[in-house]
Amino acid sequence: RIMGGTGTGKSSLIRLLTKDTGVKIGSSLDSLTTDVQLFRFLDHTSGRNIVLVDTPGFDDSRSDITDTAVLKKIAAFLLNEYDRKRQLNGLVYLHRISDPRFGAQASRNLKIFQNICGTKAYKNITVLTTFWDSVSTEEGLMREEQLKSTFFNHIVAQGARFMRHDRSTQNALEIITHILTLTPTDVQIQEEIRIGGKGLEDTAAGSIHREEVERVLAKHKQEIASLGKEI
């Protein structure tokens, strides 16, 4: 399963691997992915049929889809896989190494991703850094080390692996080769709902989004109250 913010290179990676020219690649930070999509191809190295799962980003730029809708779509897909007793080999999280700062949106995206996966699945995570051709080698290495030691340190400590993507097909296949060495697993949100009997809003991932909505509502109420006093 491939996740990451809008514009991190998810569709480009899928197009490289599948050779499917129908995979749309955006030229801006406006997301083109609206639903969970499955792409299949034959990995000639292992002889295995691979299924790539592309997901819309939580920082979606369109006005017609909310983060809640995105989470519902991802959860629905994962629950369907769980009910069919199919597990995930790997969870690929893309991040632009060219981003000078790890902002609030990036932190929130990562936190939701972590809570979808759960610590048991951290060993199946590959953090894939992209856009290395947009930074100098020295700058890229410095940012990579900062990401490993700060923002991603918890999942790295639990077995997640950092890899770099250089836009080449060979490199993309090396990522798949690594993922195929991993033991398939279920993820936390599946077990929370199916075993724990929780509603989506009560899962760890769902609660993060609910807290964010409550903070935004509280802020808007405060702004409205302030405007009322001025009027």
Side-chain angles (χ1 to χ4, degrees), residues 204-215:
S207 65
I208 290 172
H209 181 63
R210 187 177 66 250
E211 289 167 7
E212 179 70 15
V213 170
E214 289 172 352
R215 281 196 296 271

Side-chain angles (χ1 to χ4, degrees), residues 38-215:
L38 275 61
F39 299 90
R40 294 175 170 83
F41 74 100
L42 174 65
D43 176 36
H44 294 286
T45 302
S46 65
R48 294 174 63 175
N49 289 307
I50 308 297
V51 180
L52 303 175
V53 183
D54 188 16
T55 60
F58 282 104
D59 55 339
D60 204 283
S61 53
R62 296 175 306 274
S63 59
D64 61 338
I65 184 170
T66 64
D67 283 355
T68 299
V70 169
L71 183 58
K72 285 180 178 178
K73 289 180 178 184
I74 293 173
F77 167 77
L78 290 171
L79 291 173
N80 183 58
E81 293 295 285
Y82 185 87
D83 293 341
R84 298 173 74 173
K85 302 188 184 305
R86 293 199 297 220
Q87 296 180 307
L88 300 171
N89 277 80
L91 301 130
V92 182
Y93 188 86
L94 279 75
H95 177 79
R96 289 185 298 264
I97 200 69
S98 56
D99 288 351
R101 292 177 296 132
F102 200 86
Q105 184 64 60
S107 296
R108 183 166 167 269
N109 287 348
L110 177 58
K111 194 170 183 182
I112 293 175
F113 173 71
Q114 287 178 275
N115 281 283
I116 287 174
C117 298
T119 54
K120 186 182 76 172
Y122 282 2
K123 64 184 184 302
N124 290 73
I125 292 176
T126 299
V127 180
L128 188 63
T129 49
T130 57
F131 287 79
W132 280 85
D133 52 356
S134 299
V135 296
S136 66
T137 301
E138 181 181 2
E139 188 176 20
L141 291 174
M142 181 183 68
R143 289 180 184 173
E144 182 184 53
E145 186 56 39
Q146 184 182 33
L147 290 171
K148 287 180 181 179
S149 61
T150 54
F151 305 106
F152 291 87
N153 65 322
H154 184 51
I155 64 173
V156 169
Q158 298 291 326
R161 177 173 175 177
F162 259 72
M163 296 185 76
R164 302 168 190 168
H165 182 42
D166 63 7
R167 299 181 193 265
S168 72
T169 300
Q170 181 58 38
N171 173 258
L173 289 171
E174 289 171 0
I175 296 162
I176 295 298
T177 298
H178 164 66
I179 289 172
L180 291 178
T181 67
L182 305 173
T183 303
T185 185
D186 295 319
V187 293
Q188 179 172 287
I189 197 169
Q190 294 170 317
E191 296 179 348
E192 285 180 299
I193 295 174
R194 284 295 184 259
I195 298 175
K198 294 182 179 179
L200 179 60
E201 67 281 1
D202 296 318
T203 64
S207 65
I208 290 172
H209 181 63
R210 187 177 66 250
E211 289 167 7
E212 179 70 15
V213 170
E214 289 172 352
R215 281 196 296 271

